[in-house]
Amino acid sequence: MEYVLTAENLTKEYKGFRALDALSLHVPKGAIYGLVGRNGAGKTTFIRILCALQEPTGGGYSLFGVDNGDRSVIPVRRKMGAVVETPAVYQELTAEENLQIQYRVLGRGDFDAIPGLLELVGLEDTGKKKVKHFSLGMRQRLGIAVALAGEPELLILDEPVNGLDPQGIIEVRKLLQKLNRERGVTILISSHILDELSRLATHYGFIDRGRMVEETAATDIAESLETHYMKLMGGDRNE
Ligand code: ATP
């Protein structure tokens, strides 16, 4: 199997506390990989490390076959797009202007692809409306559009449907399915919303206290995701 992302023994220690504890993880090419775990399990820490916002204290990861310690991981990172926590978009600007800024950041001189990108995320009719007047779902989709500006092969989303209303959740789900099916984008998504995740994910990684408890294909889970999760993680919250 071809993997776009793997992690082995990935560890992040904060003054004696291990947020990630020898985590191993394998994301197959073309997957929608759901990262599942309770609050504080280490999901955001993992995603921040992938985005080079934090350094691991042990172990490593490999992106498109290139190890994180290798200098050539820097250009390889361009094959990845991410929305971490709140999407980084400018409130006083329109959707189109936000994308123009991102295109400049990426060194892309012409904006010809922007209308298509706005259409892809369903924001083509927002015209002069400033982002501060957008709904949460629209903002989330704009965040995803910004992450897609570099035409990534791997899209990483930290809790993309958190706080969205049912309509917003459905819109984001359809967008992610479209990206995966029509453009072949591999997606890593962390979420607490098991029911929603089970409609999307082809693979799961269940993490607890910074460790991988189980990695599995969705087709190998016979019961509901919730039942499986409860059996695996147990009811004790340890908080
Ligand atoms: P949530 O679902 O609540 O976002 P998470 O799985 O994303 O949780 P992380 O945010 O990765 O969890 O946090 C993992 C653990 O590391 C938590 O116990 C958190 O308190 C701890 N942690 C995170 N950042 C720091 C830091 N800068 N210093 C010390 N501890 C930290």
Side-chain angles (χ1 to χ4, degrees), residues 14 17 19 37-46 54 159 192:
Y14 298 108
F17 172 76
R38 67 187 81 190
N39 290 118
K43 303 178 298 294
T44 304
T45 301
F46 175 61
Q54 283 183 309
E159 304 278 359
H192 282 123

Side-chain angles (χ1 to χ4, degrees), residues 147-166:
L148 290 173
E151 294 173 13
E153 292 171 41
L154 170 64
L155 183 63
I156 295 180
L157 303 166
D158 190 13
E159 304 278 359
V161 295
N162 230 4
L164 298 189
D165 61 15

Side-chain angles (χ1 to χ4, degrees), residues 12-15 17-20 36-48 54 85 158-159 162 190-192 207 209-210 239:
K12 177 70 185 177
E13 203 159 320
Y14 298 108
K15 294 189 181 137
F17 172 76
R18 287 194 166 185
L20 294 181
V36 191
R38 67 187 81 190
N39 290 118
K43 303 178 298 294
T44 304
T45 301
F46 175 61
I47 289 174
R48 289 179 60 84
Q54 283 183 309
E85 289 148 4
D158 190 13
E159 304 278 359
N162 230 4
S190 84
S191 182
H192 282 123
I207 74 170
R209 283 165 260 190
E239 284 173 340

Side-chain angles (χ1 to χ4, degrees), residues 70 82 96 98 121 180 189 210:
D70 194 320
E96 188 178 9
N98 265 283
V121 299
N180 181 253
I189 167 171

Side-chain angles (χ1 to χ4, degrees), residues 2-17:
E2 191 182 341
Y3 295 102
V4 298
L5 168 66
T6 59
E8 301 296 343
N9 287 318
L10 193 67
T11 300
K12 177 70 185 177
E13 203 159 320
Y14 298 108
K15 294 189 181 137
F17 172 76

